[in-house]
Amino acid sequence: SSCDSEYVARNKSQDSGIAEMEELPVPHNIKISNITCDSFKISWEMDSKSKDRITHYFIDLNKKENKNSNKFKHKDVPTKLVAKAVPLPMTVRGHWFLSPRTEYTVAVQTASKQVDGDYVVSEWSEIIEFCTADYSKVHLTQLLEKAEVISGRMLKFSVFYRNQHKEYFDYIREHHANAMQPAVKDNSGSHGSPISGKLEGIFFSCSTEFNTGKPPQDSPYGRYRFEIAAEKLFNPNTNLYFGDFYCMYTAYHYVILVIAPVGSPGDEFCKQRLPQLNSKDNKFLTCTEEDGMLVYHHAQDVILEVIYTDPVDLSLGTVAEITGHQLMSLSTANAKKDPSCKTCNISVGR
């Protein structure tokens, strides 16, 4: 009978806190702006009808599923944010749920809190996508300060070197007129690093064995080593930048530095994105003058990976076979940073 159904409907509406009311406006035309590595601003439009009843916004934030992500890896829990209805645009900030350089989807509901504590909600808005930004200079400076704590004392060195396979050097001689070419840096290191996949350069090492003061005889990168006098790459005509600080579930840590000839494309890239170091006075790599000679020092307690941003002609140094082993385990190619290490992580999205 009609009487029964009316009774049921009324009770249902009392249960759910949805009294006979006009529907709340659905957000549309969502705009995301001011994106950083762990925050963004969001705004949208909505009909003015029933607008004054809105007390809260519900924001549904999800990491976009990676096509080739492992099926068994734990799924990221979607983040449902409940925010008081503030004037738009509203800032959403939180490193515990926003990671740098990551794609997200977002949708919004408007909500009205009832006397009994239940919410009346609108339909969900359309879903939109955005990508968070890389670490800013502010974040990199925090990373730099953490790296300084463990860098250790400074040791003298005189050459930069780069290990590769014989085929690499043959190819350079044959196809690149004897000049090693900058290549795009891989995705090793911090996930928010602004140089990964973007900066072009050539990797060099400068570590020395503390007992000999010379480069070690072992290398993970190949049996042939190009050696070049330090002043050919690092001198008063180059700028020095801090690039990254990370470890790979290991006891030792890596610091990435960038050396860029003043005014070069690499220098322009770094100037906008990386903290610049004083070449004569920093905790990682220095070039100072003593008795009219340039003298070089590197930090003892971190492994320095130095990126030089211009081509380097093989005739500026020497190529020779190393006598030691090829230690593959020390390779950092595309290595993932340990997100749980207290030494080298800062409190923003990993």
Side-chain angles (χ1 to χ4, degrees):
S1 72
S2 62
C3 177
D4 289 350
S5 62
E6 191 184 315
Y7 173 74
V8 171
R10 194 173 71 243
N11 255 5
K12 212 167 137 204
S13 75
Q14 285 166 348
D15 292 346
S16 64
I18 304 179
E20 292 300 308
M21 284 186 184
E22 283 183 56
E23 285 182 14
L24 289 172
V26 182
H28 60 269
N29 199 13
I30 297 174
K31 293 267 191 295
I32 304 279
S33 61
N34 297 68
I35 299 170
T36 73
C37 67
D38 62 355
S39 72
F40 61 91
K41 281 187 175 173
I42 184 167
S43 63
W44 56 84
E45 293 168 17
M46 49 195 164
D47 296 335
S48 50
K49 201 173 57 169
S50 318
K51 206 170 172 179
D52 49 353
R53 287 188 18 240
I54 298 169
T55 60
H56 290 79
Y57 303 136
F58 289 0
I59 296 175
D60 186 31
L61 191 65
N62 286 286
K63 246 184 205 166
K64 214 174 139 189
E65 271 312 299
N66 193 343
K67 297 278 178 293
N68 44 19
S69 64
N70 186 339
K71 289 278 177 290
F72 301 103
K73 191 175 149 285
H74 72 272
K75 279 245 195 310
D76 280 287
V77 183
T79 305
K80 281 262 194 326
L81 303 170
V82 179
K84 283 223 161 70
V86 294
L88 300 175
M90 178 174 88
T91 299
V92 177
R93 175 178 286 115
H95 61 75
W96 56 97
F97 57 79
L98 282 174
S99 299
R101 203 187 274 206
T102 304
E103 292 186 323
Y104 289 93
T105 61
V106 66
V108 196
Q109 278 175 320
T110 57
S112 179
K113 195 169 189 175
Q114 307 298 290
V115 184
D116 60 5
D118 274 348
Y119 287 97
V120 178
V121 292
S122 72
E123 302 273 315
W124 281 105
S125 70
E126 79 270 28
I127 295 170
I128 66 155
E129 299 177 3
F130 72 100
C131 186
T132 46
D134 295 332
Y135 283 156
S136 68
K137 273 192 196 176
V138 174
H139 297 110
L140 288 171
T141 301
Q142 292 172 17
L143 214 48
L144 158 67
E145 286 163 0
K146 293 203 107 175
E148 287 176 337
V149 173
I150 67 150
S151 58
R153 67 196 179 102
M154 302 292 279
L155 299 180
K156 245 185 188 173
F157 78 100
S158 59
V159 298
F160 288 105
Y161 58 94
R162 170 177 173 78
N163 274 68
Q164 277 285 359
H165 302 286
K166 184 174 182 296
E167 295 76 30
Y168 169 83
F169 292 111
D170 291 343
Y171 187 85
I172 294 300
R173 290 185 189 101
E174 206 173 315
H175 297 280
H176 287 296
N178 221 35
M180 294 187 287
Q181 299 299 311
V184 175
K185 185 196 165 301
D186 66 12
N187 285 316
S188 60
S190 300
H191 183 63
S193 167
I195 59 177
S196 291
K198 291 183 182 172
L199 177 68
E200 296 190 1
I202 306 171
F203 266 105
F204 286 93
S205 300
C206 61
S207 305
T208 50
E209 291 181 319
F210 68 93
N211 51 351
T212 64
K214 291 191 161 47
Q217 276 305 313
D218 305 323
S219 165
Y221 299 111
R223 302 221 32 112
Y224 284 78
R225 175 174 291 167
F226 171 73
E227 262 185 39
I228 185 169
E231 61 264 23
K232 298 245 167 79
L233 298 187
F234 185 31
N235 54 56
N237 299 317
T238 54
N239 282 327
L240 180 67
Y241 297 91
F242 173 83
D244 201 2
F245 176 43
Y246 69 101
C247 71
M248 306 175 296
Y249 304 89
T250 46
Y252 44 86
H253 278 80
Y254 294 87
V255 167
I256 298 181
L257 301 175
V258 185
I259 298 175
V262 174
S264 66
D267 192 33
E268 293 309 311
F269 178 94
C270 295
K271 228 184 213 78
Q272 293 165 30
R273 296 172 181 82
L274 305 181
Q276 188 169 347
L277 298 172
N278 177 349
S279 299
K280 295 178 180 159
D281 181 22
N282 67 78
K283 293 271 200 294
F284 311 110
L285 187 72
T286 60
C287 165
T288 52
E289 209 173 307
E290 286 175 29
D291 304 326
M293 302 282 287
L294 294 177
V295 180
Y296 293 88
H297 289 85
H298 72 82
Q300 177 183 10
D301 294 345
V302 289
I303 298 173
L304 293 180
E305 298 187 299
V306 178
I307 300 175
Y308 186 77
T309 62
D310 267 12
V312 175
D313 199 294
L314 293 178
S315 65
L316 295 172
T318 56
V319 176
E321 193 170 358
I322 55 171
T323 56
H325 300 284
Q326 191 176 327
L327 302 172
M328 288 315 292
S329 63
L330 288 175
S331 169
T332 60
N334 281 313
K336 286 287 158 265
K337 177 170 179 169
D338 175 1
S340 61
C341 175
K342 297 280 180 282
T343 305
C344 60
N345 283 283
I346 54 175
S347 67
V348 310
R350 293 175 294 292

Short mmCIF file of all heavy atoms in Angstrom, two decimals, residues 3 9-10 17-18 33 43 46 73 76 93 97 138 153 159 166 174 185 187 234 264 282 295 317 327:
data_model
loop_
_atom_site.label_atom_id
_atom_site.label_comp_id
_atom_site.label_asym_id
_atom_site.label_seq_id
_atom_site.Cartn_x
_atom_site.Cartn_y
_atom_site.Cartn_z
N CYS A 3 0.68 3.82 1.75
CA CYS A 3 0.97 4.28 3.11
C CYS A 3 2.30 3.70 3.61
O CYS A 3 3.13 4.39 4.16
CB CYS A 3 -0.18 3.88 4.04
SG CYS A 3 0.13 4.32 5.74
N ALA A 9 10.16 5.31 3.16
CA ALA A 9 10.99 6.37 2.57
C ALA A 9 11.38 7.41 3.62
O ALA A 9 12.52 7.87 3.66
CB ALA A 9 10.23 7.04 1.44
N ARG A 10 10.43 7.75 4.48
CA ARG A 10 10.74 8.78 5.46
C ARG A 10 11.80 8.27 6.44
O ARG A 10 12.74 8.96 6.79
CB ARG A 10 9.47 9.24 6.18
CG ARG A 10 9.73 10.53 6.97
CD ARG A 10 8.49 11.13 7.57
NE ARG A 10 8.00 10.36 8.68
CZ ARG A 10 6.79 9.75 8.67
NH1 ARG A 10 6.00 9.84 7.63
NH2 ARG A 10 6.40 9.05 9.71
N GLY A 17 20.37 10.86 7.09
CA GLY A 17 20.58 12.30 7.29
C GLY A 17 20.23 13.11 6.06
O GLY A 17 20.55 14.27 5.97
N ILE A 18 19.61 12.48 5.06
CA ILE A 18 19.22 13.23 3.88
C ILE A 18 17.75 13.59 3.98
O ILE A 18 16.88 12.81 3.63
CB ILE A 18 19.48 12.42 2.58
CG1 ILE A 18 20.95 12.01 2.52
CG2 ILE A 18 19.09 13.24 1.34
CD1 ILE A 18 21.33 11.20 1.32
N SER A 33 46.58 24.56 -9.71
CA SER A 33 47.65 25.55 -9.97
C SER A 33 48.69 25.50 -8.85
O SER A 33 48.53 24.75 -7.88
CB SER A 33 47.03 26.96 -10.06
OG SER A 33 46.41 27.27 -8.82
N SER A 43 40.85 24.78 -7.39
CA SER A 43 39.64 25.61 -7.39
C SER A 43 38.66 25.01 -8.39
O SER A 43 39.04 24.19 -9.23
CB SER A 43 39.95 27.06 -7.75
OG SER A 43 40.45 27.11 -9.05
N MET A 46 30.88 26.26 -9.15
CA MET A 46 29.65 25.53 -8.79
C MET A 46 28.46 26.48 -8.82
O MET A 46 28.62 27.70 -8.66
CB MET A 46 29.79 24.87 -7.42
CG MET A 46 30.30 25.75 -6.32
SD MET A 46 30.82 24.76 -4.90
CE MET A 46 31.78 25.97 -4.00
N LYS A 73 52.54 -5.58 -5.90
CA LYS A 73 52.99 -4.48 -5.04
C LYS A 73 51.77 -3.90 -4.35
O LYS A 73 50.69 -3.82 -4.93
CB LYS A 73 53.66 -3.42 -5.92
CG LYS A 73 54.40 -2.37 -5.15
CD LYS A 73 55.12 -1.46 -6.13
CE LYS A 73 55.25 -0.05 -5.61
NZ LYS A 73 54.01 0.72 -5.64
N ASP A 76 48.52 1.83 -3.53
CA ASP A 76 48.50 3.00 -2.68
C ASP A 76 47.07 3.24 -2.20
O ASP A 76 46.13 3.18 -2.98
CB ASP A 76 48.97 4.23 -3.45
CG ASP A 76 50.48 4.27 -3.52
OD1 ASP A 76 51.08 4.55 -2.47
OD2 ASP A 76 51.04 3.99 -4.58
N ARG A 93 48.24 20.50 0.99
CA ARG A 93 49.67 20.31 1.23
C ARG A 93 49.88 19.10 2.13
O ARG A 93 49.19 18.96 3.13
CB ARG A 93 50.25 21.57 1.91
CG ARG A 93 51.72 21.43 2.31
CD ARG A 93 52.26 22.69 2.93
NE ARG A 93 52.47 23.72 1.91
CZ ARG A 93 51.81 24.86 1.85
NH1 ARG A 93 50.89 25.13 2.74
NH2 ARG A 93 52.06 25.73 0.89
N PHE A 97 51.26 12.26 1.85
CA PHE A 97 50.48 11.63 0.79
C PHE A 97 50.79 12.15 -0.61
O PHE A 97 50.29 11.64 -1.59
CB PHE A 97 48.97 11.72 1.06
CG PHE A 97 48.45 13.12 1.23
CD1 PHE A 97 48.21 13.92 0.13
CD2 PHE A 97 48.20 13.64 2.50
CE1 PHE A 97 47.73 15.21 0.28
CE2 PHE A 97 47.72 14.94 2.65
CZ PHE A 97 47.48 15.72 1.53
N VAL A 138 64.77 24.91 -2.42
CA VAL A 138 64.60 24.87 -0.95
C VAL A 138 64.77 23.44 -0.44
O VAL A 138 65.50 23.17 0.53
CB VAL A 138 63.21 25.42 -0.54
CG1 VAL A 138 62.96 25.25 0.95
CG2 VAL A 138 63.07 26.88 -0.94
N ARG A 153 86.23 14.40 6.26
CA ARG A 153 87.32 15.34 5.98
C ARG A 153 87.64 15.36 4.49
O ARG A 153 87.21 14.49 3.74
CB ARG A 153 88.56 14.98 6.80
CG ARG A 153 89.21 13.70 6.43
CD ARG A 153 90.18 13.23 7.51
NE ARG A 153 90.77 11.95 7.11
CZ ARG A 153 91.99 11.82 6.61
NH1 ARG A 153 92.77 12.87 6.45
NH2 ARG A 153 92.45 10.63 6.26
N VAL A 159 93.09 14.03 -10.34
CA VAL A 159 92.46 13.66 -11.62
C VAL A 159 90.99 13.29 -11.44
O VAL A 159 90.58 12.75 -10.41
CB VAL A 159 93.19 12.47 -12.31
CG1 VAL A 159 94.62 12.83 -12.65
CG2 VAL A 159 93.12 11.21 -11.46
N LYS A 166 85.74 -1.01 -23.50
CA LYS A 166 86.58 -0.64 -24.64
C LYS A 166 85.73 -0.16 -25.82
O LYS A 166 86.05 0.81 -26.50
CB LYS A 166 87.42 -1.85 -25.03
CG LYS A 166 88.42 -1.59 -26.15
CD LYS A 166 89.31 -2.81 -26.37
CE LYS A 166 90.33 -2.54 -27.46
NZ LYS A 166 89.69 -2.30 -28.78
N GLU A 174 85.36 6.80 -33.24
CA GLU A 174 84.90 6.57 -34.60
C GLU A 174 83.73 7.50 -34.99
O GLU A 174 83.70 8.05 -36.08
CB GLU A 174 84.45 5.11 -34.73
CG GLU A 174 84.54 4.58 -36.15
CD GLU A 174 84.24 3.08 -36.17
OE1 GLU A 174 84.79 2.37 -35.30
OE2 GLU A 174 83.45 2.64 -37.02
N LYS A 185 70.84 12.18 -17.85
CA LYS A 185 71.02 11.42 -16.62
C LYS A 185 69.86 10.45 -16.39
O LYS A 185 68.71 10.80 -16.63
CB LYS A 185 71.12 12.38 -15.42
CG LYS A 185 71.44 11.65 -14.13
CD LYS A 185 71.17 12.48 -12.89
CE LYS A 185 71.14 11.63 -11.65
NZ LYS A 185 70.14 10.56 -11.65
N ASN A 187 67.47 7.67 -13.97
CA ASN A 187 66.58 7.97 -12.84
C ASN A 187 67.10 7.49 -11.49
O ASN A 187 66.33 7.32 -10.55
CB ASN A 187 65.19 7.38 -13.09
CG ASN A 187 64.44 8.21 -14.12
OD1 ASN A 187 64.45 9.43 -14.07
ND2 ASN A 187 63.81 7.54 -15.08
N PHE A 234 87.50 21.38 -13.84
CA PHE A 234 87.03 22.14 -12.69
C PHE A 234 88.02 23.27 -12.43
O PHE A 234 89.16 23.03 -12.02
CB PHE A 234 86.93 21.18 -11.50
CG PHE A 234 86.35 21.77 -10.24
CD1 PHE A 234 85.39 22.79 -10.26
CD2 PHE A 234 86.75 21.28 -8.98
CE1 PHE A 234 84.86 23.31 -9.09
CE2 PHE A 234 86.21 21.79 -7.81
CZ PHE A 234 85.27 22.81 -7.86
N SER A 264 77.32 28.01 -20.13
CA SER A 264 76.93 26.90 -21.02
C SER A 264 75.46 26.54 -20.80
O SER A 264 74.87 26.94 -19.79
CB SER A 264 77.81 25.69 -20.73
OG SER A 264 77.53 25.21 -19.41
N ASN A 282 83.48 24.49 0.16
CA ASN A 282 82.28 23.70 0.43
C ASN A 282 82.74 22.37 1.00
O ASN A 282 83.92 22.10 1.06
CB ASN A 282 81.44 23.52 -0.84
CG ASN A 282 82.14 22.67 -1.88
OD1 ASN A 282 82.18 21.45 -1.81
ND2 ASN A 282 82.73 23.35 -2.89
N VAL A 295 94.73 23.61 -6.49
CA VAL A 295 94.79 22.41 -5.64
C VAL A 295 93.37 21.89 -5.43
O VAL A 295 92.44 22.67 -5.23
CB VAL A 295 95.44 22.75 -4.28
CG1 VAL A 295 95.51 21.52 -3.40
CG2 VAL A 295 96.84 23.33 -4.50
N GLY A 317 93.03 13.83 -22.11
CA GLY A 317 93.48 12.93 -21.05
C GLY A 317 94.03 11.66 -21.64
O GLY A 317 94.49 11.64 -22.78
N LEU A 327 83.64 -4.26 -10.34
CA LEU A 327 82.73 -4.56 -9.24
C LEU A 327 81.31 -4.11 -9.58
O LEU A 327 80.93 -2.98 -9.29
CB LEU A 327 83.20 -3.85 -7.97
CG LEU A 327 84.62 -4.20 -7.51
CD1 LEU A 327 85.04 -3.30 -6.37
CD2 LEU A 327 84.69 -5.65 -7.07
#
